[in-house]
Structure formats: structure tokens, C-alpha cells
Amino acid sequence: MNPRILARHVREGAKSLIRNGWMTFASISAVTVTLLLTGVFIILLLNMNAIASQIEDDVEVRVYIDRSAKQEQMDELKKQIETIAEVESVTFVSKEEGLDNLIESLGDDGEAFESLRDENPLPDMYVVKTKVPKDTVVVAKKVEAFDYVEEVRYGKGTVEKLFKVVEVARNIGAILIIGLVFTALFLIANTIKLTILSRSKEIEIMKLVGATNAFIRWPFFIEGLLLGLIGSIIPITVLVIGYNFIYNEFNAKLKTLFVELLPVSPFVYQLSAILIFTGIFIGVWGSLTSIRKFLRV
């Protein structure tokens, strides 16, 4: 396209925003509110997904070795576990390490167990991590059938419920975001349609004097792009400041529960890019779909 003509389209698109003050305000407000809600849901969904993944990664299978097993038999058991396709790693934890971990996890209360060091009642064990957290139950059942396995623990009952809750939460979050975006497209398209309706005579005259559809459509394309871009500035500002505050206030507390929020950087930059793209897409889509019927003269 000729740069001079493109510059003309940009000027006309920008002028239209000023000429249609209240309708422009309504359109930008619709984009702003929609993107703000969408951004909140995205923050909640992605952080929930990250926390769920952290919890899932902590799920492991603890294989307690029979106390009568010799070193050769323990080595053989490890090889058998490693042959399971779903297994990612097998780590040996001696009973001494197990007692140390127990005492450390209990803090000051752990001193009461210091007396057990001479006659340690804990068995040696293998800590098994699966490639996919959901395979934990499958691996546990397979390991239970091996020789020299005294007991297998993986949070039976609780783990299955955890995976179901996480999956449902992820699906609901994704559906809410998709529904919100489609609702936004409908509302904003209708808001922009009202703006274009007030200029239908202008479009009709341009068509009658020979203007092509592309020539008429370009200013509206620019106008929709600017609506989406401007409408995304406020939500991005609010969400970036708000998320930074929440991260600084609550992330340290969440770490005590062995979970943490997504780091501010690069998350806020990724979120900003998503909202800018979504805003521009909604604005352009709303403008082009709304003008389509007025081009049929």
C-alpha cells in the first residue's frame, strides 16, 4: 500500500475516535472491563496451574525395603523398579537419612527422636518419582508385587482425589476464560456496531462515489486497532501493579506451604503481551465484522 494512503487511513481512524467521543468511550470501556476480568482469570488460572504442578511434582512413591533384604537383593529391587516405563528416577534413602529428615522436619519437636539413633526403627527405602504425576498409583501397584518390599506409601486415597480436583479446576478455569473472551467479542462488536451505524450514511456515500471496500474498511481497521490498544493500557497497568503487590505480600507465606506464585518477571510481560494482542484482536474483529453489512450497497 502507498505510504501516503496508509497515513491517510491512520489519520482518519484516529479522527474517528475523537469525533465519536461517547461511543469511543463506551467501546474503550467495554474493552477495558473485559480485559481486566480476563487478566484476573488468567492470573488465577496460570498460578493455580503452577501451584497444582508443584503439588503434583511433590507426589512420590516411598518403597520401604524389607529389613531382611541383603545389599544384592536391594540392588536387584532397584533395577526392577527402574525397568517400569513410567518411572523417572529411583533414589535410595538409608534409615539414618530417614531419621535425620524426620528430626529436621519436626523442628524443635524433633529432638525427642534423637534417642532413636542407637536403635533406629526406620527401614531403608527407595523414593520413586514418576515421569507423569498421574502414574504414581500405577507405579505403586506394580512395585507392591516385587520381592523384598515391606510397604509402599504414596498417599493412597488422597492422591487420587488431588488429581481429580486439579483436573476439574483447570478445566473450569479454561472454560471461564474462553467464555469471557467470546462474551467480550459479542459485547464489543455490538458497541462498535452502534458507532458505525451512526456513520452508515457516510459509508453509503463513499460507496456511491466509487470508493472500494478496502479503502472504506482500512480506517475502521485502524480505529478498531486503536480501540483495542488503548483499552488494554488500563487493565495492564492495574494488573501489573496489583500482581507485583500480591507477589511481594503473599509469596513468602506460600513458600512455607512449599508452593509459590509465578515470578513477577517474565510473567507480567507475558500477561501484558496476551492482553495487548487480545485487545487489538477484539477491537479489529469488532470493527471489521460490524462494517461488513454496511459495505453491501
Side-chain angles (χ1 to χ4, degrees):
M1 180 185 294
N2 189 308
R4 188 166 57 84
I5 296 177
L6 179 60
R8 180 263 174 198
H9 292 328
V10 172
R11 284 195 305 273
E12 287 300 313
K15 286 179 183 177
S16 295
L17 293 180
I18 299 171
R19 282 199 305 262
N20 300 278
W22 283 110
M23 294 308 298
T24 297
F25 176 77
S27 299
I28 290 176
S29 297
V31 174
T32 298
V33 172
T34 299
L35 291 184
L36 186 59
L37 292 174
T38 302
V40 169
F41 274 108
I42 289 174
I43 289 174
L44 290 174
L45 179 62
L46 294 184
N47 274 284
M48 182 181 68
N49 187 62
I51 291 173
S53 297
Q54 292 164 26
I55 294 173
E56 287 178 337
D57 289 341
D58 288 337
V59 175
E60 58 191 19
V61 180
R62 294 181 172 233
V63 182
Y64 294 98
I65 306 168
D66 193 311
R67 289 173 172 79
S68 64
K70 306 297 183 184
Q71 185 60 51
E72 297 81 6
Q73 294 161 335
M74 292 167 61
D75 292 339
E76 181 61 28
L77 174 60
K78 182 180 180 181
K79 289 179 182 178
Q80 286 181 298
I81 297 173
E82 289 175 335
T83 60
I84 299 175
E86 295 85 359
V87 170
E88 182 178 47
S89 66
V90 181
T91 305
F92 176 73
V93 178
S94 67
K95 59 184 181 180
E96 291 78 19
E97 289 180 79
L99 183 59
D100 288 339
N101 293 336
L102 175 63
I103 293 173
E104 184 180 349
S105 66
L106 294 175
D108 294 337
D109 296 331
E111 294 179 4
F113 293 89
E114 288 289 347
S115 60
L116 297 176
R117 290 194 181 279
D118 295 333
E119 296 182 8
N120 191 340
L122 299 179
D124 295 322
M125 68 175 177
Y126 287 119
V127 176
V128 181
K129 299 289 287 185
T130 58
K131 296 175 182 175
V132 180
K134 288 184 179 180
D135 290 333
T136 299
V137 179
V138 175
V139 171
K141 289 180 178 178
K142 290 181 179 180
V143 173
E144 283 177 334
F146 295 156
D147 293 331
Y148 302 104
V149 173
E150 182 177 293
E151 186 181 3
V152 175
R153 293 183 186 175
Y154 62 94
K156 186 176 181 180
T158 303
V159 168
E160 291 90 339
K161 291 178 183 177
L162 171 66
F163 291 147
K164 287 181 181 178
V165 169
V166 168
E167 185 176 357
V168 170
R170 282 171 172 164
N171 291 338
I172 290 175
I175 291 171
L176 285 174
I177 288 180
I178 293 172
L180 188 62
V181 170
F182 275 103
T183 301
L185 289 174
F186 175 77
L187 291 175
I188 293 168
N190 279 280
T191 304
I192 295 174
K193 189 179 293 184
L194 293 175
T195 304
I196 296 175
L197 183 62
S198 64
R199 295 148 65 188
S200 58
K201 290 293 182 184
E202 175 188 338
I203 296 171
E204 185 177 345
I205 292 171
M206 291 176 70
K207 284 284 292 181
L208 291 174
V209 297
T212 64
N213 288 346
F215 186 86
I216 298 171
R217 191 181 284 119
W218 263 101
F220 288 98
F221 173 87
I222 300 296
E223 185 176 346
L225 187 150
L226 292 174
L227 285 173
L229 186 60
I230 296 170
S232 66
I233 292 174
I234 295 176
I236 288 173
T237 303
V238 171
L239 291 171
V240 168
I241 294 174
Y243 186 74
N244 190 66
F245 172 79
I246 291 171
Y247 184 87
N248 291 332
E249 287 292 317
F250 297 103
N251 194 56
K253 297 175 183 177
L254 286 173
K255 280 185 177 180
T256 61
L257 302 174
F258 304 103
V259 294
E260 55 184 310
L261 299 173
L262 291 169
V264 173
S265 177
F267 177 62
V268 293
Y269 300 112
Q270 295 167 344
L271 177 65
S272 299
I274 291 172
L275 293 182
I276 289 174
F277 173 80
T278 304
I280 291 175
F281 174 78
I282 288 174
V284 170
W285 183 86
S287 291
L288 295 184
T289 55
S290 298
I291 196 176
R292 188 181 300 162
K293 62 180 271 186
F294 297 107
L295 295 178
R296 303 189 188 118
V297 178

